[in-house]
Amino acid sequence: MADVSYVATATHAARGGAMSSGTTSSRAEFGSTPPGPPNDVRIAVIGAGFSGLGMAIRLKQAGVEDFVVLERGDAAGGTWHYNTYPGCGCDMPSHLYSFSFAPNPNWSRTYSTQPEIGSYLRDCVRPFEIERHIVFGCEITGAIWDDAQDRWHIDTTRGAVSAPLLIAATGPLTEPPGAGAARTGNLRRRHLPLRTVESRPRPDRREGGIHRHRSLGHPVRARHHAAGATTANYCGTA
């Protein structure tokens, strides 16, 4: 494969180099009524995160065109699209936590944060010419294997899809482990819905504790002024 930089042209990128910077992919690009999924395809991929995008790109590079990527969100990126809490980042060096066929020499730091990783993934879509294969706002509601027809019948919020091959690239890190309050011994524990909180949350000053969120990232730190202490909120790593 060609050894090209992150700012390579889309043509070079599609041949196996890196992608152009500044290109993004989201539902908004298709207007208010983007096209729904095809009724019948050879391969259906669930999710447009690292795994789903990587699969789509490799399929294109192998000359496979008859596939669709079903993404419930409004943009590519998977966990790096959904999780936007303060301090969200990856505890793996970015030059390793990236596609081998899309190297990025322009990472701003060794352990990149969520905005930069999300941008990297969105930037992979257009140069590798997979945007037309992704259907945004398309959540899977059910899938049944049909022995007689040797194919999956997939129900989505935007119509039915049939495919002999179904690839689940959903990942486990787009949802928080729980919500509400719970008690562990004498410690009252509350789960913050971290993927949906504002960029600078205001925790209840009457409470302290450790909030855990199972996601790749560095500790999320919140100061509980009423208690006069700093609480380190460690995120579990995959």
Side-chain angles (χ1 to χ4, degrees):
M1 294 184 292
D3 182 15
V4 293
S5 70
Y6 183 73
V7 294
T9 63
T11 301
H12 287 152
R15 291 176 179 173
M19 61 290 180
S20 299
S21 61
T23 59
T24 61
S25 182
S26 67
R27 183 176 181 178
E29 294 180 1
F30 298 100
S32 58
T33 55
N39 294 327
D40 188 272
V41 291
R42 178 182 173 189
I43 303 171
V45 181
I46 305 175
F50 254 114
S51 298
L53 294 179
M55 175 59 68
I57 292 169
R58 284 310 200 193
L59 287 172
K60 289 285 287 191
Q61 291 178 338
V64 178
E65 294 287 340
D66 189 13
F67 70 91
V68 65
V69 178
L70 308 172
E71 169 55 50
R72 67 174 178 172
D74 59 3
T79 190
W80 302 109
H81 167 67
Y82 288 104
N83 290 283
T84 59
Y85 55 84
C88 182
C90 185
D91 53 6
M92 182 181 293
S94 295
H95 69 281
L96 296 177
Y97 193 70
S98 54
F99 294 127
S100 61
F101 49 80
N104 176 17
N106 300 321
W107 291 112
S108 65
R109 55 196 297 178
T110 300
Y111 300 97
S112 296
T113 57
Q114 175 268 331
E116 190 169 9
I117 300 172
S119 178
Y120 166 82
L121 288 171
R122 291 189 297 273
D123 286 350
C124 284
V125 174
R126 185 170 292 163
F128 287 102
E129 301 178 350
I130 61 173
E131 68 270 27
R132 71 180 183 86
H133 294 275
I134 304 176
V135 181
F136 294 107
C138 186
E139 185 170 2
I140 308 301
T141 58
I144 299 176
W145 173 254
D146 189 328
D147 277 328
Q149 297 185 19
D150 287 334
R151 62 196 309 109
W152 288 92
H153 297 296
I154 309 159
D155 295 322
T156 82
T157 53
R158 303 196 57 208
V161 182
S162 177
L165 296 175
L166 176 61
I167 299 173
T170 54
L173 304 179
T174 58
E175 298 290 344
R183 286 186 178 275
T184 302
N186 295 324
L187 175 65
R188 186 174 186 273
R189 182 179 63 195
R190 184 176 65 177
H191 290 287
L192 272 174
L194 287 176
R195 77 176 178 88
T196 57
V197 297
E198 57 184 310
S199 59
R200 293 186 179 276
R202 304 180 188 86
D204 190 335
R205 294 187 177 185
R206 295 171 299 175
E207 299 178 3
I210 296 177
H211 302 283
R212 285 184 62 86
H213 180 56
R214 188 171 179 270
S215 176
L216 291 170
H218 298 292
V220 179
R221 301 184 182 277
R223 292 184 180 276
H224 298 269
H225 297 286
T230 298
T231 303
N233 302 277
Y234 293 94
C235 300
T237 58

